[in-house]
Amino acid sequence: MIYNNSSKIEIDKSAVRNNITFIRSQIGDSVLLSSVVKANAYGHGIDQMVPLLESNDVRHFSVFSSFEARRVLQASKNQPTIMIMGDVAEEDLLWVFEHEIECFVYNFHDLKNYIYAAKKLKKRALLHIELETGMNRHGFSPSDLDQLIGSLREQADYFELKGICTHFAGAESSANYKRICNQQKTFLRGIAKFRENDIVPDHIHSSCSAAILAYPEFNHDMVRVGILTYGLWPSTEMQLTYKIKNEIDKSPLQPVLSWRSRITDISYVESGEFIGYGNSYLAETDMKIASVPVGYGYGFNRSLSNTGRVIVNGMRLSVIGIVNMNMFLIDASNVEINIGDTVTIIGKDGSKAINVSHFGNLSDTLNYELLTRIDKDIPRNVV
Ligand SMILES: *Cc1c(COP(=O)(O)O)cnc(C)c1O
């Protein structure tokens, strides 16, 4: 593997432990925790996160595709349960059955394919039936249930019902309160219908990070938690609400990821000159500037042009000019820095910190989006 060494990412082992402990304290011992590691573990690295989570006794992982499921199995040191919430590529179907990977099924087309494959391979499909309850994305709608239950009864020998599930459409914002409650009602009606027909799943699950905090009564016996694992809140509103409700000032979560690069060049610009591409930044005095070898091609969003901040030697410095594909410039006037000094893009340096949500606000990017855009070829080291 050839890594991109112009910056590096650190994954904080003790932060993972802290966050898992926090999640468990919220859901209690009787609820099964599935750690969501889709999109390369929210940019943190499946290879690094899976063993770390396993060392914290996580044995259930959720991903979105058979490609990600393969990567989790490769990274695992135990025998995890892996659940695919999205798409199984046709060519991976045999592998999915052989490795007893569990899958969401959300339409009759896929159900038919799974049953067909199960018959052919003489194995049972391990299915989670996803119900459409109001997000209007994926799942069997209430009007499908009679037909669905009919098919399931007919094909009972060819699958194990691992779960019945749904997904909430924005539990992180109180603006969606009514919609989430309606989803819960529809979900409960669906579950009751299965029960009346003696179809009993191993698990019932609907909640993501936001839901375990805002609607703990909707946990059932299993939850699928992503963003909290990485030490980030699903939204600023949730963070504030949690702190106010619990009368605490300090977040119970610890960010797992830090992203650092280094100064590669220092130069001097005379007053009146433009800096970088075009004319977005005019030096109004004589300036000292420094370059950092990270750009939008690595996930440092172009919208951070003239607005981003980094930390060097414990000082917060501003991004100036347009972020390039492979580098950006910072204003180092009046500060003591040298080529080779560490540049913290996300994380702590001395008493200063730049967290993902801060960075996201500046670039108008969601925590989730920002993390998953960080180049996967930047080396990730567990510390
Ligand atoms: C991503 C995802 C989750 C986890 O969401 P978080 O907000 O990161 O906890 C849960 N369920 C489904 C279906 C998802 O796609």
Side-chain angles (χ1 to χ4, degrees):
M1 176 95 185
I2 300 170
Y3 288 108
N4 173 358
N5 278 316
S6 76
S7 64
K8 54 183 193 252
I9 287 170
E10 291 158 6
I11 300 299
D12 182 344
K13 187 158 65 177
S14 70
V16 174
R17 174 160 301 252
N18 171 80
N19 301 335
I20 291 292
T21 306
F22 172 73
I23 293 164
R24 289 215 168 98
S25 75
Q26 297 299 302
I27 63 177
D29 291 337
S30 58
V31 174
L32 174 64
L33 170 63
S34 182
S35 287
V36 181
V37 291
K38 63 189 180 191
N40 199 27
Y42 293 49
H44 290 63
I46 281 182
D47 292 344
Q48 290 74 21
M49 285 303 295
V50 165
L52 274 184
L53 290 165
E54 288 183 328
S55 70
N56 288 288
D57 300 323
V58 172
R59 291 291 176 272
H60 200 292
F61 295 95
S62 296
V63 293
F64 228 80
S65 65
S66 44
F67 165 74
E68 293 171 343
R70 281 173 177 271
R71 293 204 42 217
V72 171
L73 198 61
Q74 240 171 30
S76 168
K77 295 184 164 60
N78 280 282
Q79 275 165 350
T81 302
I82 303 175
M83 179 172 83
I84 301 174
M85 305 185 291
D87 159 59
V88 173
E90 191 75 37
E91 56 271 34
D92 285 341
L93 206 55
L94 177 61
W95 180 86
V96 161
F97 274 84
E98 276 174 347
H99 293 86
E100 303 190 347
I101 307 294
E102 304 182 2
C103 303
F104 275 30
V105 56
Y106 37 78
N107 60 38
F108 287 108
H109 174 274
D110 291 358
L111 180 61
K112 218 164 114 188
N113 276 352
Y114 282 122
I115 299 296
Y116 177 79
K119 286 179 182 168
K120 214 167 102 188
L121 302 168
K122 300 196 164 43
K123 284 190 173 272
R124 284 167 179 256
L126 307 178
L127 303 180
H128 293 255
I129 299 285
E130 183 175 10
L131 301 186
E132 173 52 63
T133 57
M135 179 160 182
N136 295 314
R137 181 173 82 165
H138 261 178
F140 292 95
S141 14
S143 60
D144 292 332
L145 292 191
D146 287 332
Q147 189 193 341
L148 174 62
I149 286 169
S151 313
L152 293 178
R153 300 192 89 160
E154 261 168 45
Q155 310 292 354
D157 293 341
Y158 303 103
F159 70 92
E160 284 175 33
L161 190 58
K162 290 293 171 182
I164 297 180
C165 56
T166 194
H167 189 49
F168 294 125
E172 70 282 355
S173 166
S174 56
N176 302 325
Y177 177 74
K178 198 83 203 144
R179 186 170 174 200
I180 304 295
C181 291
N182 284 335
Q183 281 195 270
Q184 169 71 357
K185 279 186 207 145
T186 307
F187 189 43
L188 291 180
R189 273 199 300 273
I191 295 165
K193 195 140 194 183
F194 282 91
R195 210 169 270 143
E196 284 158 22
N197 286 276
D198 296 322
I199 299 179
V200 182
D202 290 357
H203 297 289
I204 294 177
H205 50 104
S206 56
S207 292
C208 56
S209 295
I212 67 162
L213 298 175
Y215 307 90
E217 66 279 20
F218 297 174
N219 282 353
H220 300 283
D221 67 337
M222 172 174 162
V223 294
R224 310 179 302 260
V225 178
I227 198 88
L228 293 173
T229 314
Y230 309 98
L232 301 166
W233 295 88
S235 65
T236 313
E237 179 191 330
M238 297 232 64
Q239 175 172 13
L240 278 177
T241 310
Y242 186 87
K243 286 183 177 173
I244 292 167
K245 202 171 95 191
N246 293 280
E247 298 180 4
I248 51 170
D249 196 37
K250 195 167 162 275
S251 172
L253 298 172
Q254 291 171 12
V256 168
L257 177 144
S258 305
W259 186 13
R260 299 184 213 278
S261 185
R262 60 187 191 280
I263 302 285
T264 40
D265 193 25
I266 294 176
S267 49
Y268 296 86
V269 179
E270 282 180 17
S271 174
E273 294 282 321
F274 289 113
I275 295 177
Y277 283 122
N279 54 8
S280 80
Y281 194 91
L282 175 72
E284 291 181 349
T285 57
D286 290 352
M287 290 180 75
K288 179 167 68 171
I289 62 170
S291 63
V292 183
V294 172
Y296 59 79
Y298 309 55
F300 192 87
N301 204 312
R302 197 166 175 278
S303 61
L304 291 161
S305 299
N306 289 312
T307 49
R309 305 261 194 287
V310 295
I311 312 172
V312 185
N313 302 335
M315 297 172 290
R316 227 189 286 276
L317 304 182
S318 300
V319 173
I320 54 173
I322 302 289
V323 172
N324 300 179
M325 190 185 291
N326 298 88
M327 71 156 104
F328 62 86
L329 301 171
I330 54 176
D331 180 4
S333 308
N334 314 316
V335 298
E336 196 52 48
I337 60 168
N338 294 295
I339 291 179
D341 284 355
T342 296
V343 176
T344 298
I345 300 170
I346 293 174
K348 261 192 194 166
D349 174 4
S351 64
K352 300 261 189 331
I354 293 181
N355 54 35
V356 174
S357 55
H358 186 105
F359 189 86
N361 287 343
L362 286 175
S363 60
D364 194 24
T365 322
L366 222 53
N367 286 350
Y368 299 77
E369 182 181 345
L370 195 155
L371 286 170
T372 53
R373 281 180 173 216
I374 302 176
D375 185 354
K376 65 177 180 3
D377 292 335
I378 300 170
R380 275 112 168 118
N381 298 309
V382 176
V383 295

